[in-house]
Amino acid sequence: MNKSEEMFDIYDEKMNRLGQAPRSEVHAKGLWHATFQCWIVSLENEEPALLLQLRHPDKDLFPNLLDISCAGHLAAGETVQDGAREMKEELGLSVDFNELVPCGLFAEEDLMSDHLIDREFCHVFIYRCDQSLDKYVLQPDEVTGLFKVSAVGLERLVHGEIGELKAEGYRTGGNGQLEETSLLVSLHDLVPHPAAYYDLVFQTLRKHDLFV
């Protein structure tokens, strides 16, 4: 184990805490651990849009794919409330935990390879922020782009009703500066999550009148 390696609290499948383990062991052995995940919804142009971050190419899990607006592992000893720090670290947003709308807990398993298994208890939230994308401050070693997609379109995409969805936003160019760009996004461009995971988010958006 590397001395600087992150330590995570680990759990059994019923979320009983078992102890701690380093990040590499957690993913190599498929040990259950906890994450903080927050979807940012924007009503800047009246129609609800969700923000997707482009993961850094050096990430050990799902490099270069579009993912949840803001997400991160909870380190050993951290509470879910501590996870709100990810908003500041990844996107430059100072957000109080009480401002987040909880979607609930989702247990997710991803078999990446024989040597990499990701088992997460995902604490999922929503945060409304209508600021323009160019106002976000991206963490350069974690996030290389930020894109906005129609919430309606994303729901249709993950349920297989459409094959592509337009995303507009910014990505880091060769000079390290953010460049405005647009993408056509398919499911292959997204970090894989089951439709049930997305439904948890969409149901919460509707419950709070953030999505029709």
Side-chain angles (χ1 to χ4, degrees):
M1 172 188 150
N2 187 317
K3 281 187 176 181
S4 63
E5 191 173 1
E6 291 177 282
M7 295 291 295
F8 298 155
D9 289 325
I10 56 171
Y11 305 86
D12 65 14
E13 66 277 4
K14 295 182 179 178
M15 213 177 171
N16 297 306
R17 186 178 177 277
L18 301 176
Q20 298 180 356
R23 179 188 182 111
S24 58
E25 182 181 336
V26 165
H27 289 148
K29 295 183 177 179
L31 304 175
W32 284 99
H33 55 292
T35 59
F36 168 89
Q37 303 181 355
C38 186
W39 287 88
I40 295 176
V41 59
S42 169
L43 295 167
E44 180 188 8
N45 298 317
E46 296 188 7
E47 183 193 346
L50 289 169
L51 271 55
L52 297 171
Q53 68 160 258
L54 182 63
R55 292 172 65 82
H56 195 279
D58 293 337
K59 297 286 284 184
D60 59 341
L61 298 175
F62 306 113
N64 289 318
L65 291 185
L66 293 163
D67 198 10
I68 301 154
S69 317
C70 178
H73 292 88
L74 295 179
E78 283 192 317
T79 65
V80 181
Q81 288 83 352
D82 293 324
R85 63 173 164 72
E86 295 282 350
M87 305 284 282
K88 181 68 174 177
E89 291 174 7
E90 292 191 354
L91 301 175
L93 289 177
S94 295
V95 178
D96 187 275
F97 180 78
N98 294 322
E99 298 177 73
L100 304 180
V101 177
C103 298
L105 185 71
F106 192 88
E108 187 169 7
E109 297 183 74
D110 285 304
L111 179 62
M112 310 289 296
S113 70
D114 291 340
H115 309 291
L116 190 57
I117 307 165
D118 195 25
R119 290 192 172 104
E120 298 182 359
F121 287 115
C122 309
H123 297 273
V124 187
F125 298 89
I126 290 167
Y127 178 66
R128 178 178 172 179
C129 183
D130 297 340
Q131 73 178 23
S132 59
L133 292 186
D134 59 357
K135 297 290 190 288
Y136 288 87
V137 181
L138 307 187
Q139 186 177 5
D141 58 345
E142 294 280 341
V143 185
T144 54
L146 193 63
F147 291 86
K148 185 182 290 187
V149 295
S150 157
V152 174
L154 186 62
E155 185 176 40
R156 295 184 66 202
L157 182 70
V158 299
H159 283 284
E161 295 172 19
I162 57 174
E164 288 183 326
L165 175 66
K166 187 174 184 181
E168 297 183 337
Y170 294 85
R171 69 185 303 161
T172 306
N175 59 359
Q177 299 297 308
L178 288 178
E179 300 173 352
E180 194 168 3
T181 186
S182 62
L183 305 171
L184 276 179
V185 178
S186 73
L187 281 180
H188 298 295
D189 301 308
L190 298 174
V191 170
H193 298 289
Y197 170 88
Y198 286 103
D199 287 341
L200 186 68
V201 176
F202 293 126
Q203 287 164 9
T204 306
L205 286 169
R206 288 190 168 96
K207 180 181 176 182
H208 291 271
D209 296 324
L210 295 168
F211 185 35
V212 180

